[in-house]
Amino acid sequence: MTDRNPASAQRPHRHHHWRRDLVELAALFCAVAVADGIANLVAHGPRGPMLLVASAVALLVTATFHTWWARRHSHAPPPGTALPDPGGRAAGAASSPSTTAALWRMRTTVRDEPGSLAALCSALARNGADILTLQTHPLPEGGTVDEFLLRAPQQLPSADLTRAIAGAGGRDTWIERADAHDLVDTPTRVLGLATRTALDAAELPLALRQLLGRCTIHSIPATTLSGRPNAGADAPVEGVLEATVMRLRDPSGGAITVERPYLPFTPTEFARARALVELDARLGPRVPRSQDVLTLPEGNEITVRRADGSDRAAARAMHDRCSERTLGLRYHGPVADADRYLGHLLSPRFGRTLAATTASGKLIALGHLLWDGDETEVALLIEDDWQRRGIGSELLRRLIAMAVEAGCDSVYAVTQASNTGMVAAMRGLGLPLDYQIEEGTLVITARLGATPVTSRVPYEVPRERPAHEVRRHRD
């Protein structure tokens, strides 16, 4: 077996054009002879000047002819001809500028028969739409729901896409703009949501919302605050799917209702949602057990950590130490039975709670981030003796950071107009705020998308901070 030199194997073969060399050599000799004869005629002939002018004209004509000939018979490829690049792909000599494309998420229902998907793809291709991902959701009554992620020309209206799909046999077509986050394939996204749910029970409502798109999620407790059974909290173990509403049994008690009026749920989506709920049920109650130690300006140290139902007794003791005014500002009126409020507030199903405790372990403050359907509420309760020390502002910054991490667009706080401490804490976030006052009740809404909050949730990796702020500890 003969070895070959890779370098020589890649070197292109050049053909030696000996005929061209011979012609050029003969032309050179002819040019020398002609130049010698013209020089003798100019120097010794009677019409030397005329011959000199005629020679100049002849040279000019020859140069012009040569230029024309070279352009017509050039060996270079014409503009726009594809040349092979070093990687073996064809590259245009003059590439056209790329057009701006838009991303679309589209869902349509078709008959389950051979060729139906091919008809849809052909219709999209005729309109210049590129299919990036495709999911097929079989329907129990026959037919399938095909979900596309498309890249289409920016100037192509969505109405043209829906008309093309309708002409290809699609019905009940729904389309909306997509973004770069939708480029993540579905299995990867589901695995990520399952991981978040496994680490924190409070993630389940958020994971369902991200899995199913724009939807409204309500956690319905098994009993009302007055102790009576809730009417909508009797979902069966296998769950219920009714077009645009699905009801799932909550592992912590009660039910989880998911509504999406603009787009019916498919059996595939229902199965994915039920799998997340079953994962939550198998893992049981869980909350990240990290904690931070804060050093207050006067030197006292407090610990900030996530709270759950195991802190109910300590939270009730703190309520007993709070004045009626403090409880009234927090709950907007008298508190008849704090135990029932606390059972709801400390449940990870309804949101996330931060607790601040002293070095001796006494609970002195609570901060709540509560999922309220499509919206998110923040609330604070600081024991009277520990107010005006910056604890509320620190808890609020951490709650807002959690809301940003959860993908919330805004958060709101409901308080009284006389609660200057809460107003100051909200203003200290540096975010755009909207105020609404009705009969002494003040609703402050912070828009999170405008300015990122430079804070962190309690279980993130710490960074260097001033001495009066945070030191990292773990259980």
Side-chain angles (χ1 to χ4, degrees), residues 148-182:
F148 300 89
L149 179 63
L150 304 173
R151 180 186 287 119
Q154 185 73 39
Q155 65 275 12
L156 181 65
S158 60
D160 290 356
L161 287 174
T162 55
R163 278 195 296 268
I165 290 298
R171 56 183 174 82
D172 299 330
T173 302
W174 165 86
I175 189 170
E176 72 171 1
R177 287 278 190 175
D179 56 28
H181 297 89
D182 294 305

Side-chain angles (χ1 to χ4, degrees), residues 371-382:
W371 318 134
D372 183 16
D374 296 330
E375 300 178 328
T376 307
E377 181 183 2
V378 289
L380 299 174
L381 178 63
I382 316 297

Side-chain angles (χ1 to χ4, degrees), residues 142 153 155-156 163 185 190 203 215 221 245 248 286 290 306 310 323-324 332 383-384 409 426 446 452 466 474:
Q155 65 275 12
L156 181 65
R163 278 195 296 268
D185 64 289
V190 172
E203 289 285 340
C215 58
V245 178
L248 304 165
R286 63 210 174 279
S290 308
R306 286 283 299 277
S310 62
S323 65
E324 291 185 3
H332 327 300
E383 189 176 331
D384 294 65
D409 296 326
M426 292 291 287
R474 292 185 180 270

Side-chain angles (χ1 to χ4, degrees), residues 455-466:
S455 184
R456 61 190 179 89
V457 294
Y459 44 84
E460 285 183 339
V461 177
R463 53 183 169 81
E464 294 297 327
R465 305 186 70 176

